[in-house]
Amino acid sequence: MISETRAFPFGEDKEAKAAHYTEQMLKLTEYHKKKCDEYRRMLEAAGYDAKKVNHYRDIPFLPVGIFKELRLSSIDDDSNIKTVTSSGTSGQRRSQIILDAETRVQQQQALAAIGADFLGKKRIPMLVIDCPATIEKRDRFSARTSGILGFSIFAKKRVFALNDDMSLNMEALEGFVEKYSEGPVLIFGFTFMVWRYFVQELEKQNRMINLPQASLIHGGGWKKLISEAVSKQEFAERLKEVCGVNRVMDYYGMAEQTGSIFMECEYGHLHCSDYSAVLFRRAKDFSLCEKGEEGLIQVMSTIPKSYPGHSLLTEDIGRMLGEDDCPCGRKGVYFEVIGRAQHAEIRGCSDTFAAEH
């Protein structure tokens, strides 16, 4: 087992992580080199030499867009796989990510450890800002499906706030509030969908609900909201007005890299866990950025074993804010995502529904 489950997933400082993480990434790179012919040929073409790797930052990366072109797999038996497709605008190719049972289990274990650090270990009622049809297909599913199913591990009861036509299911919503408003609950959804189909729709209907102990976890990009001139502050304020939510947490992740999820702490910083690494590279030559310098985000994870997605260069721009010294007390790199690289393909999870409907 290449990854190990951690009770506290933000405990390693810079020096401790560098040693063991480099070893893990080297093993994983060698594993995929043996198991995936396309990946092996790419490494050979790049002149990869494991003996020259002194730090995990020296591990080669694949551009995230390659999964739109190639179906990369490192497993011999396709009998028990699930395929996750990334989001994309209508007519655009989508990434296809191959997950076997072992990789799915490790992904769930990592999410459980990371999520528990923010939500606690006790399961709580979960309100999903989406429709039930999203999770119907289990052998091939979207990033939305993956997100809902992933965060459902924290739920003792799951209720969908929307009907399949994306209208508010007021009966379900009011029933959820009546039953659970006195205690902690989790609200989960993709950013644009929370805004368009929940916040704005409640406002339009002049309705308010009261979930004062709710924690909202949302992700999938801010592109649509930025185009509507909605800031993170306005998002949080208007959400609080319609449902009383005081705790709002963004997260950064992608379908293309299983196991990498970067949660936002109470200081507004995205955090890299012990399972992951994040680097920032200059677009002109892919050299490493200095602290505070904007660059392309590279994400690394020790979890993907069914496909060579352990080191990926994304199409997102971000910058490192610090390491091992966030006021929240969590060790590791903390950072912010600024936006998409110019001319990059648009791949925001929550943009999918808006593009297709």
Side-chain angles (χ1 to χ4, degrees), residues 8 38-39 44 62 69 78 87 91 97 99 110 121 175 190 197 224 242 259 269 317 325 336 345:
F8 177 63
E38 294 93 341
Y39 183 66
E44 290 174 350
L62 296 180
E69 308 296 329
D78 286 357
S87 303
I97 308 304
L99 302 181
K121 296 182 179 180
F190 288 101
Y197 302 106
K224 280 287 180 183
V242 296
H269 302 151
I317 300 293
D325 58 1
E336 66 175 338
E345 293 182 52

Side-chain angles (χ1 to χ4, degrees), residues 107-296:
Q107 178 186 29
Q108 189 176 55
Q109 289 174 339
L111 178 59
I114 294 168
D117 190 62
F118 288 85
L119 295 170
K121 296 182 179 180
K122 186 178 179 180
R123 291 193 176 199
I124 57 178
M126 177 181 179
L127 182 67
V128 181
I129 311 302
D130 211 315
C131 61
T134 307
I135 64 169
E136 286 179 355
K137 294 182 179 180
R138 296 300 182 92
D139 59 333
R140 179 179 293 269
F141 49 88
S142 68
R144 277 168 59 195
T145 311
S146 183
I148 293 169
L149 295 177
F151 279 96
S152 291
I153 63 175
F154 303 110
K156 70 175 184 181
K157 172 70 175 178
R158 183 176 64 196
V159 173
F160 287 86
L162 306 181
N163 298 305
D164 286 343
D165 64 358
M166 306 307 290
S167 62
L168 272 178
N169 185 336
M170 289 307 304
E171 182 180 354
L173 188 55
E174 290 172 352
F176 184 90
V177 173
E178 181 179 353
K179 193 170 183 179
Y180 301 117
S181 63
E182 298 299 319
V185 300
L186 168 63
I187 303 176
F188 173 79
F190 288 101
T191 308
F192 175 71
M193 298 182 69
V194 172
W195 177 254
R196 172 64 58 85
Y197 302 106
F198 186 64
V199 175
Q200 289 190 318
E201 194 59 32
L202 284 171
E203 291 175 339
K204 186 186 299 183
Q205 296 185 26
N206 197 28
R207 293 175 182 261
M208 291 181 62
I209 61 175
N210 190 34
L211 292 170
Q213 296 188 54
S215 297
L216 171 73
I217 294 179
H218 68 102
W222 287 82
K223 178 179 178 289
K224 280 287 180 183
L225 270 68
I226 290 172
S227 68
E228 296 182 20
V230 180
S231 66
K232 293 184 74 169
Q233 181 179 355
E234 182 180 358
F235 179 88
E237 287 176 352
R238 285 171 64 177
L239 179 73
K240 183 176 181 178
E241 287 175 3
V242 296
C243 61
V245 173
N246 290 294
R247 190 184 188 203
V248 180
M249 293 174 282
D250 195 1
Y251 76 89
Y252 177 63
M254 64 205 69
E256 289 87 355
Q257 189 169 89
T258 296
S260 283
I261 181 168
F262 306 91
M263 293 288 295
E264 182 182 52
C265 74
E266 56 268 37
Y267 292 90
H269 302 151
L270 293 167
H271 277 266
C272 183
S273 75
D274 296 346
Y275 298 101
S276 302
V278 61
L279 301 168
F280 303 87
R281 296 189 179 273
R282 302 180 181 100
K284 62 180 180 180
D285 60 4
F286 302 126
S287 58
L288 289 171
C289 296
E290 299 292 334
K291 176 183 173 181
E293 179 185 358
E294 295 183 11
L296 290 167

